Amino acid sequence: MFSTVKLYIPFLKYLRKRIPLLILLFILILGSTVLLIITPLILEAFLKNIRMQFATGLLLPLALLFLLLAVARPILSLWEAYLGDNISLLATNELRVDLTLHCLALDLRFHTQHTPGELVERVDGQVATLNNLFSRLVLSLISNGVLLIGIIGMIAFTIHALVGLVLALFTIFSIVIVYMLHSKALPLWKEARKQRAEMISFTEERLSGLEDLTSSGAQSYVLRELASQSRAILRTFLRGFQAIMRTRNLLRMFFDLGTVVALLLGVLLFWGHAIPLERVYTLFYYTTLLQVPVEQIVEQWRSLQQGSGSIANIHELLAEKSTIHGGDRPLASEALEVAFERVSFQYIEDTYALQDLSFVLPAGKTLGLLGQTGSGKSTVARLLTRLYQPQSGTILLNGHPIQDYALADLRRAIGIITQEVHIFNATVRDNLTLFDDSISDDVIAQALEQLKLTDWLKRLPEGLDTVLSSREQALSAGEAQLLSLARLFLRDPQVIILDEASSRIDPATEQLLDQALKQLLQGRTAIIIAHRLQTVMQTDLILVLENGRCREFGEREALLQQPDSAFATMYRLAAGEVRQ
Ligand SMILES: Nc1ncnc2c1ncn2[C@@H]1O[C@H](COP(=O)(O)OP(=O)(O)OP(=O)(O)O)[C@@H](O)[C@H]1O
Ligand SMILES: [Mg+2]
């Protein structure tokens, strides 16, 4: 029991800022509890007045008072619900922000191990469990406790201590029974939650591959899989629901029995002249009031326990730490020299993606990186931008290990265009500036002019305001690369890595790309991972990778002159292809 409570304690800090609201909420809950307890007393007084047939003038005020309380209670609970949800949404949204920032700060190793769908479920879905805790649970547990004690106390004092004792025992007994019955439903809820997380991650993954799935006619497979997963969830949910309903109905029967016992006791007391007739009614009323708090206490305690799985998951997520840390060496603002010194790296144990790789790329020079698919080209880019940490060897920037520089500085200094350029559902302007409002349209126009992309911009229906969202406006691979070149140009990094898309590009766009690239490379150190030989013909140096190892490294011109070099062979092959 304590371990469940302990899990929740760290999250209470999100409530600290909202203590005045919480106090108000507590007063409201207590107020409505008191109203509930005094209502039967008014009814009792009313009945007494009728029975004694004296002072009938009191009947009307009593009826009005009863009416007033009947109206006040729902108003109070409405206010309670509003306040409770308000507090909890504010608190859990703060936690969501913290979790999102935490996930974003984690390195790529973490992100390749966890699908976006899984993270969405954790950051959003599981935090929702806390919603309940923050809004009602704790206060409601207390108020139901107060209500139970209040009712039993009232019975003991106003009716008979013995009846109070009997009902107290009855209540404890029923709490234990309901708690035990609930245990049956709990594993089913857990299972359903797990299945749901799996389905979300399945859907997310399939949606991101929509184009491939549609073109290969795999929709029916996906739909079938989705249907079977949904069916499994439905089955588990239904079983859980049935278990809960069984408990609820059993509890109801149990309480009906309790009411009969209470009535019997009341009648006996009445016959023994211990209490007046209307008090028998009050006893009846109080006994029926007992059922709701018993049910709620068990359910709330259960949901605390049910939530503990989610909470443990959130703790686990928060405990994840990035293995990549930066230093505080200032980074020079001119072009930078990049060097790899015997760098080896494995994504998976015992499989080298890069092995013993060494090269020096002097400041302001460009390196063309070639190699077959899977040879480790993109990995070089990922290591240089510190998305991963090599297992051995050093990567140097201006002679100092890259770990010495602050991560933010490093990522500002190194601009990368990955193989899959991400186009955001936003205007061309936002896609170029990456939502940085401080970059004016003039600066954008200048950059596009320099990259000779003004004509391309003119072709867009609404210029910079064109929204890249609907399918018709989606960019071709070449256009996406153009956009990403302009994006980098605006950011003005000192080192550029271009991981060229392997898709074929039409000759007109190709020409635009080559021109833009020439502009972009001026005065910058650059690594160009090229699938088209034409692109590397602009570079100073060439590095050919083979299975993660350096096969060839040297000046482009010199390599081209050596007929037996790998680069010259590739060049001849490509030229031959063109001629055929
Ligand atoms: N996240 C990852 N987890 C495990 N292995 C990976 C991961 N990313 C890449 N690899 C493996 O590492 C090797 C090098 O991959 P890399 O992406 O660097 O190749 P590449 O030269 O860029 O290929 P391409 O020309 O197809 O882009 C490949 O064998 C690949 O399967
Ligand atoms: Mg690649």
Side-chain angles (χ1 to χ4, degrees), residues 377-378 419 499:
K377 304 181 297 294
S378 300
Q419 270 170 296
D499 201 343

Side-chain angles (χ1 to χ4, degrees), residues 76-238:
L76 274 186
S77 32
L78 204 68
W79 206 8
E80 250 172 59
Y82 172 77
L83 207 61
D85 286 338
N86 214 344
I87 294 172
S88 79
L89 280 176
L90 287 172
T92 45
N93 281 346
E94 212 175 289
L95 174 64
R96 282 191 178 95
V97 170
D98 284 356
L99 276 175
T100 308
L101 291 176
H102 177 76
C103 286
L104 287 178
L106 290 172
D107 52 50
L108 224 60
R109 196 171 281 285
F110 169 84
H111 285 283
T112 44
Q113 282 164 1
H114 302 272
T115 64
E118 182 192 332
L119 291 183
V120 168
E121 166 64 8
R122 277 199 188 184
V123 171
D124 193 53
Q126 300 189 334
V127 169
T129 321
L130 274 177
N131 235 0
N132 198 19
L133 168 83
F134 286 158
S135 64
R136 333 203 52 88
L137 233 63
V138 174
L139 291 174
S140 185
L141 259 176
I142 296 172
S143 87
N144 277 319
V146 171
L147 182 61
L148 273 185
I149 295 169
I151 292 171
I152 291 172
M154 284 301 271
I155 293 173
F157 283 108
T158 60
I159 297 165
H160 201 281
L162 188 70
V163 186
L165 184 70
V166 170
L167 282 179
L169 289 175
F170 176 74
T171 306
I172 293 169
F173 184 62
S174 55
I175 287 182
V176 173
I177 295 256
V178 179
Y179 184 83
M180 274 159 42
L181 285 171
H182 255 269
S183 310
K184 290 225 162 87
L186 198 63
L188 293 167
W189 288 131
K190 262 194 192 151
E191 176 63 22
R193 210 167 173 93
K194 205 172 120 226
Q195 287 172 335
R196 210 176 83 90
E198 276 166 16
M199 190 168 86
I200 289 177
S201 100
F202 175 84
T203 314
E204 187 273 337
E205 202 197 352
R206 297 311 183 271
L207 276 180
S208 59
L210 193 63
E211 212 166 310
D212 283 346
L213 287 174
T214 316
S215 58
S216 60
Q219 297 108 308
S220 54
Y221 153 73
V222 175
L223 281 180
R224 226 178 310 126
E225 183 63 21
L226 208 60
S228 104
Q229 290 194 9
S230 315
R231 221 174 298 128
I233 296 178
L234 179 68
R235 247 181 258 130
T236 323
F237 256 120
L238 277 180

Side-chain angles (χ1 to χ4, degrees), residues 265-283:
L265 284 174
V267 170
L268 287 176
L269 287 170
F270 172 66
W271 280 345
H273 301 290
I275 55 170
L277 184 61
E278 58 275 2
R279 198 141 285 182
V280 179
Y281 174 75
T282 310
L283 177 62

Side-chain angles (χ1 to χ4, degrees), residues 465-501:
D465 289 316
T466 313
V467 175
L468 302 173
S469 64
S470 58
R471 294 217 154 253
E472 305 88 70
Q473 291 296 346
L475 300 178
S476 70
E479 286 170 329
Q481 293 243 330
L482 280 175
L483 191 137
S484 59
L485 284 184
R487 211 183 249 175
L488 266 200
F489 200 76
L490 284 169
R491 258 187 58 200
D492 193 21
Q494 292 140 271
V495 179
I496 285 178
I497 305 170
L498 170 66
D499 201 343
E500 195 180 55

Side-chain angles (χ1 to χ4, degrees), residues 108-109 112-113 345-348 351-354 369-382 388 419 499-500 502 529-531 545 547-548:
L108 224 60
R109 196 171 281 285
T112 44
Q113 282 164 1
F345 174 71
Q346 307 170 339
Y347 289 101
I348 307 160
T351 321
Y352 281 101
L354 284 183
L369 193 51
L370 296 167
Q372 285 184 338
T373 178
S375 56
K377 304 181 297 294
S378 300
T379 308
V380 170
R382 289 179 203 131
Y388 293 95
Q419 270 170 296
D499 201 343
E500 195 180 55
S502 47
I529 302 169
H531 288 267
L545 284 178
N547 297 329

